Amino acid sequence: MNENEMTSPGYEIPPELRHQVTITTLERIYNWGRANSLWPMMFGLACCAIEMIATAASRYDLARFGMEVMRPSPRQSDVLIVSGTVTKKMVPQIVRLYNQMAEPRYVIAMGACASGGGPFKEGYNVVSGIDKFIPVDVYIPGCPPTPQALLNGLIALQKKIKRQSLRDLPWYQKGPAEPIPVPVLGPDLMDPRKFALIREVTHRQAVQDQQEGEVAHE
Amino acid sequence: MSEAVPRIAQIPNLVDLFPDKVQPDTRPGYQGYLVGREHLLEVVQRLRDEYGYDYLSSVTGVDYLPEGKMEVVYHLYKTLGGPALVLKVQMPREDPRVPSLVPLYRGAEFQEREAWDLLGIRFEGHPDLRRILMWEGFAGFPLRKDWREPYFEEEAKPFKSRWPEGFVFRAEDRNPFGDNVQYPPGFDPETWTPPDDEAIYRVLKRASEEDDLHADTLVVNLGPQHPSTHGVFRMVVSLSEETILDLKPVMGYLHRNHEKIGERNTFLQNMPFTDRLDYLCSMSNNFGYALAVEKLMGVKPPERAEYIRVMMAELTRFLNHIFAIGFLLNDLGAYFTPALYAIEERELILDIFEAVSGSRMMCNYFRFGGVARDVSPDILEKVRRLVYDRLPRKVDEMDEFLTRNEIVRERCEGVGVLTAEQAIANSASGPVLRASGVPYDVRRAEPYSIYDRLEFDVAVRYHGDIYDRYLIRLDEMRQSLRILQQVVRDIPEGPIMTGKPQYQVRVPPGEAYGRVEGPKGELGFYVVSNGKPNPWRYHVRAPSFINLTSLVDMARGAKVADVVAILGSIDIVLGEVDR
């Protein structure tokens, strides 16, 4: 943050203190601190995780942005980089990890698969994007995104954080946050939020099958 | 008996050996023998014990829907070398049962579970026949030809909706649930009781009741989100104090339906998907798939393309092994510094891949009958500088830093031992097999491409512990450099493609099994074509997946802290384990 950004207009700083004192808003200094010490979760799913490792290594050096501290525990991490294909078998674990992260928390969908299913979208075990279950802040295109693209995505997230206001963020409101219901593995993946819809459609299908059976019987 | 034992290169004539039990497969384009399922165990046992077919490479099923048949295909090899002996068992689709080969070859365990999971073939006598890639309770057997996925659009690509008009819709909009899901008619989610993990825990060995100490058995889950499982892999371990009694790998957390998608795709459309199998070594995967389809098509790439292919495959092997060593050290507790050293050289190789193919990791570089683009002289010059100067120095540097390191030796020597007999029985391949003292390398045992003309040694180590699996990777990197030096020296000028490059290749009906010595082990592609633009069956024999069979043998008796290092020494990539 340069000096112009830091110093809010309207306050006169005496010339002798100009390089020692700076005046800003609480929101700005707080967001500035948060944006530059994002700790990603050490969590790799698929091919994109290898590029994430390459980003953390010496040539691309994630440490320049204050993000080199990868934490294996969701309790200690600020940003969840969903790096790879989200499968139905894995998504309950991802939702659980997200629920366990302390707020404020951010999610980056890295690559085509995490953003929308990618090349494997048509597969029977693939979730069409992690945003079907958890809110995503930044989407990074690519298959896999290059380390430069991931860095760009992280910088985009930093910009987003710097624009946020303490007043309207959900995690600064009163009352605890509601955890996201963990999907259940049944005959296929079941989202608890959609149980009513599932029951309605399968019931309709059963009635339809029965009618067709009767018609065929006649 | 001695005159009946054939020479290595010959396949014994099974019809003479087992009259009435075996008949040759006479379908055009097919090879091998059909065995009645009631004779399978007997025939295979004699082949193993008397004829030296001690290595069961691949087990897979094929659903021949039009004929109303299921087929299980076995590829048997001798560890002394030579071509495959292909056995097939046919059965009616309504009654898909076949005796399990696990009593003879433990390496069949996971592959048979996979065939049960995806095709619904019941292997009788299998000790633990559960779903392996999907979860218990999943409806249907996805690889059966009459099973349709929720986003089903058409049997085969290119889909009419997309081509030639290019009208694209969102698959979600056509699904009544607005998502990639489907349920049996009349299903009520409220009445569903999710099957718990009891099935896994039940098969785990516990401390015996007669034990004097009456020690409790502790069951520990490692993964699927664990910093040292190299991805989304889960191990269920039963412990007596700190010693491992039993271990069950649980996988499928990255099952991306490679084979189902592959059977909808056209032949060439599969090439970029093979990149994403073992995502560290996309070039080797391309190689195996190209070989399998070229066998069916009967084309051979020109000389320059063969050299380029070998060059890329060996660079990939170097890249994979140096990455594997870096992350093995990571697992041993040397957090990230050795890995950083390893990644440095990896980036230089990735630069070459990016220059020739346009992508760092997912190269999609091979074509049937050649490669996609030529290698320019300045890239060749870069490769030359790498393989003569930088990379050999890197291997020596790693060797110097790590090999005699006291902590590395303390943690690795004598830990996670796999004997040669176990390795062969478990169908282990690649460095895991060779570190146990079996000098079996597909590049020598059944040479493909130009490997028969190149000078290199098959690296072999004899202790079968973590340390030897580390050392053999160093040895193989040195051999790879030796090959690369010959390749950059001898690479001829000329075309890089046989015939014109085309999007839609004509593949005659038949079956083919193409295998290469990938960095992780024997990577095989079993492809069945029925003359249409899409493969009828497309199966990947994934080395990481089958090498995991040995994990329990290595881990039993070790301490719980070692299991992470043992897993690191097998060097798995989850994209290939789960496909």
Side-chain angles (χ1 to χ4, degrees):
Chain A
M1 199 182 283
N2 60 33
E3 204 175 339
N4 290 340
E5 268 179 70
M6 264 319 218
T7 315
S8 310
Y11 295 93
E12 273 299 314
I13 300 175
E16 64 271 22
L17 287 178
R18 196 143 286 173
H19 293 288
Q20 293 153 37
V21 172
T22 183
I23 297 173
T24 187
T25 60
L26 171 67
E27 207 160 87
R28 272 193 194 163
I29 189 83
Y30 177 69
N31 282 345
W32 172 77
R34 279 196 313 139
N36 290 299
S37 62
L38 280 176
W39 289 3
M41 183 145 74
M42 191 194 270
F43 170 66
L45 283 175
C47 336
C48 290
I50 306 295
E51 286 297 57
M52 192 167 78
I53 293 168
T55 315
S58 40
R59 190 190 263 189
Y60 300 99
D61 198 9
L62 205 54
R64 292 177 292 160
F65 306 93
M67 296 171 190
E68 81 281 17
V69 198
M70 296 245 182
R71 294 281 107 175
S73 160
R75 301 277 183 211
Q76 300 168 343
S77 37
D78 306 307
V79 51
L80 172 67
I81 303 179
V82 184
S83 52
T85 314
V86 182
T87 61
K88 291 177 184 171
K89 201 169 174 177
M90 191 61 197
V91 76
Q93 270 74 267
I94 299 177
V95 171
R96 224 169 258 146
L97 285 169
Y98 178 77
N99 284 340
Q100 286 172 0
M101 281 171 74
E103 290 172 328
R105 57 190 168 189
Y106 300 92
V107 178
I108 291 181
M110 180 184 180
C113 293
S115 304
F120 299 97
K121 180 173 180 180
E122 62 197 278
Y124 49 87
N125 191 25
V126 176
V127 173
S128 313
I130 190 62
D131 56 0
K132 292 255 190 288
F133 292 94
I134 58 179
V136 174
D137 294 278
V138 177
Y139 298 86
I140 305 175
C143 188
T146 55
Q148 292 96 324
L150 177 59
L151 287 179
N152 188 42
L154 287 163
I155 294 169
L157 179 64
Q158 287 185 325
K159 282 184 185 157
K160 179 173 180 169
I161 293 172
K162 283 179 189 166
R163 280 201 312 270
Q164 286 181 329
S165 164
L166 299 177
R167 226 164 290 146
D168 47 16
L169 276 174
W171 42 76
Y172 297 124
Q173 311 303 316
K174 288 210 173 78
E178 281 297 310
I180 290 173
V182 177
V184 186
L185 292 175
D188 209 323
L189 187 71
M190 302 188 291
D191 188 344
R193 294 171 295 194
K194 283 191 180 169
F195 273 4
L197 174 71
I198 293 171
R199 205 177 306 116
E200 188 195 316
V201 176
T202 50
H203 179 70
R204 206 166 56 221
Q205 281 167 344
V207 172
Q208 207 176 351
D209 281 7
Q210 207 178 3
Q211 283 168 351
E212 274 170 21
E214 280 166 13
V215 170
H217 197 67
E218 282 164 16
Chain B
M1 209 56 230
S2 63
E3 73 278 5
V5 177
R7 286 177 46 223
I8 284 171
Q10 288 170 348
I11 296 174
N13 188 346
L14 296 201
V15 180
D16 295 348
L17 295 172
F18 308 100
D20 330 322
K21 290 175 188 164
V22 168
Q23 42 181 263
D25 192 348
T26 50
R27 291 171 289 181
Y30 284 74
Q31 50 165 331
Y33 296 93
L34 297 174
V35 187
R37 64 178 159 193
E38 60 280 9
H39 305 303
L40 179 75
L41 276 177
E42 180 200 340
V43 170
V44 173
Q45 177 141 32
R46 273 192 64 197
L47 282 173
R48 185 189 71 166
D49 295 342
E50 291 172 26
Y51 297 92
Y53 282 95
D54 50 358
Y55 190 79
L56 177 67
S57 163
S58 158
V59 182
T60 186
V62 188
D63 178 10
Y64 287 103
L65 181 65
E67 288 104 49
K69 276 185 202 152
M70 288 277 206
E71 191 176 273
V72 180
V73 186
Y74 301 92
H75 285 81
L76 295 164
Y77 287 96
K78 300 176 200 171
T79 41
L80 295 174
L85 175 60
V86 190
L87 296 182
K88 287 156 193 167
V89 179
Q90 289 193 334
M91 60 207 114
R93 268 187 109 238
E94 303 78 50
D95 177 34
R97 282 179 301 112
V98 70
S100 167
L101 285 191
V102 176
L104 297 176
Y105 302 97
R106 262 211 57 214
E109 187 184 340
F110 287 177
Q111 303 187 65
E112 289 186 348
R113 273 178 71 185
E114 187 195 325
W116 157 246
D117 186 356
L118 302 182
L119 280 155
I121 298 170
R122 190 170 278 285
F123 291 86
E124 290 174 329
H126 191 287
D128 182 22
L129 196 65
R130 285 179 293 116
R131 283 188 182 261
I132 187 164
L133 297 178
M134 302 304 288
W135 59 89
E136 286 296 328
F138 181 75
F141 301 109
L143 276 185
R144 288 197 176 183
K145 287 289 175 180
D146 50 1
W147 191 90
R148 288 177 172 183
E149 61 269 33
Y151 281 167
F152 175 80
E153 192 178 336
E154 261 177 74
E155 286 294 338
K157 285 180 191 171
F159 295 147
K160 288 188 190 68
S161 66
R162 324 265 172 103
W163 186 84
E165 281 82 18
F167 171 70
V168 178
F169 58 88
R170 288 174 77 239
E172 283 96 329
D173 297 340
R174 292 203 170 175
N175 186 295
F177 305 101
D179 206 349
N180 189 8
V181 288
Q182 62 188 8
Y183 307 96
F187 170 73
D188 185 2
E190 301 286 342
T191 57
W192 173 264
T193 41
D196 48 14
D197 284 342
E198 218 26 64
I200 307 169
Y201 302 142
R202 210 168 27 236
V203 291
L204 276 178
K205 255 196 214 93
R206 310 285 176 120
S208 60
E209 288 294 313
E210 301 93 68
D211 197 350
D212 293 340
L213 290 169
H214 296 291
D216 277 347
T217 309
L218 188 68
V219 176
V220 177
N221 275 288
L222 284 108
Q225 144 62 6
H226 188 272
S228 54
T229 50
H230 294 230
V232 280
F233 177 67
R234 175 173 158 209
M235 293 177 275
V236 185
V237 185
S238 68
L239 296 171
S240 163
E241 291 174 359
E242 271 200 62
T243 311
I244 293 170
L245 293 174
D246 201 2
L247 182 151
K248 280 274 165 202
V250 184
M251 40 202 137
Y253 294 99
L254 193 57
H255 178 47
R256 306 194 271 197
N257 330 121
H258 193 83
E259 292 176 9
K260 187 75 179 178
I261 295 174
E263 286 165 20
R264 299 241 186 273
N265 280 346
T266 62
F267 280 96
L268 190 58
Q269 277 177 333
N270 270 342
M271 193 60 90
F273 280 90
T274 60
D275 289 337
R276 288 156 181 83
L277 274 174
D278 175 353
Y279 34 75
L280 284 172
C281 330
S282 61
M283 291 282 196
S284 302
N285 305 341
N286 284 183
F287 206 166
Y289 180 57
L291 275 186
V293 179
E294 278 164 9
K295 253 190 205 172
L296 270 175
M297 291 167 63
V299 296
K300 223 179 134 31
E303 195 69 6
R304 185 176 172 82
E306 295 273 30
Y307 273 87
I308 296 176
R309 283 179 169 195
V310 170
M311 183 166 87
M312 294 306 160
E314 294 304 321
L315 280 175
T316 305
R317 192 184 315 279
F318 187 94
L319 172 157
N320 176 73
H321 283 352
I322 199 147
F323 204 79
I325 290 176
F327 278 85
L328 171 66
L329 265 290
N330 214 352
D331 293 340
L332 288 173
Y335 180 66
F336 225 52
T337 308
L340 282 176
Y341 270 74
I343 291 171
E344 195 185 352
E345 258 63 18
R346 181 175 175 265
E347 289 288 340
L348 298 175
I349 299 177
L350 291 186
D351 283 348
I352 291 168
F353 288 175
E354 194 173 4
V356 297
S357 74
S359 176
R360 283 158 51 86
M361 277 169 68
M362 306 304 175
C363 300
N364 185 16
Y365 185 54
F366 287 38
R367 294 289 178 272
F368 309 127
V371 291
R373 288 170 205 85
D374 204 354
V375 176
S376 69
D378 53 320
I379 297 171
L380 259 183
E381 186 50 42
K382 257 190 192 161
V383 178
R384 189 170 291 128
R385 274 208 302 270
L386 272 183
V387 300
Y388 276 104
D389 181 34
R390 179 102 193 223
L391 299 185
R393 272 197 285 134
K394 187 72 195 185
V395 184
D396 292 342
E397 185 191 61
M398 283 294 210
D399 196 2
E400 196 183 318
F401 284 161
L402 304 176
T403 307
R404 284 192 304 278
N405 181 305
E406 203 172 316
I407 302 172
V408 171
R409 294 187 62 165
E410 201 66 30
R411 290 280 318 262
C412 294
E413 279 180 340
V415 177
V417 177
L418 185 73
T419 64
E421 290 78 21
Q422 283 171 333
I424 294 173
N426 290 352
S427 304
S429 58
V432 177
L433 180 66
R434 289 192 288 274
S436 292
V438 185
Y440 185 78
D441 188 321
V442 182
R443 293 175 292 175
R444 277 277 182 260
E446 197 190 15
Y448 53 94
S449 194
I450 52 165
Y451 279 110
D452 48 350
R453 277 181 264 158
L454 294 167
E455 222 177 84
F456 68 98
D457 298 322
V458 175
V460 62
R461 295 268 169 178
Y462 296 95
H463 297 101
D465 52 2
I466 300 179
Y467 193 62
D468 271 12
R469 283 193 285 278
Y470 151 72
L471 283 176
I472 201 151
R473 295 210 163 88
L474 281 183
D475 297 345
E476 286 193 9
M477 270 152 53
R478 292 209 167 97
Q479 296 303 328
S480 282
L481 290 175
R482 214 170 130 195
I483 295 174
L484 280 165
Q485 286 166 1
Q486 295 167 50
V487 168
V488 292
R489 190 188 65 207
D490 297 340
I491 183 167
E493 290 296 322
I496 51 154
M497 261 314 261
T498 303
K500 261 200 351 230
Q502 47 191 345
Y503 293 110
Q504 197 76 280
V505 290
R506 191 171 284 280
V507 181
E511 56 158 13
Y513 183 66
R515 55 177 196 151
V516 292
E517 184 67 37
K520 307 272 193 308
E522 180 191 326
L523 175 67
F525 286 86
Y526 179 70
V527 182
V528 176
S529 163
N530 57 355
K532 299 240 171 65
N534 314 76
W536 179 257
R537 179 80 176 99
Y538 165 74
H539 173 73
V540 186
R541 188 254 187 231
S544 303
F545 177 61
I546 297 163
N547 282 353
L548 278 176
T549 317
S550 305
L551 181 63
V552 58
D553 288 328
M554 295 176 189
R556 205 173 273 151
K559 301 284 181 225
V560 67
D562 293 327
V563 75
V564 168
I566 291 171
L567 184 72
S569 76
I570 301 180
D571 184 22
I572 57 165
V573 159
L574 266 295
E576 196 178 63
V577 173
D578 296 340
R579 282 150 293 149

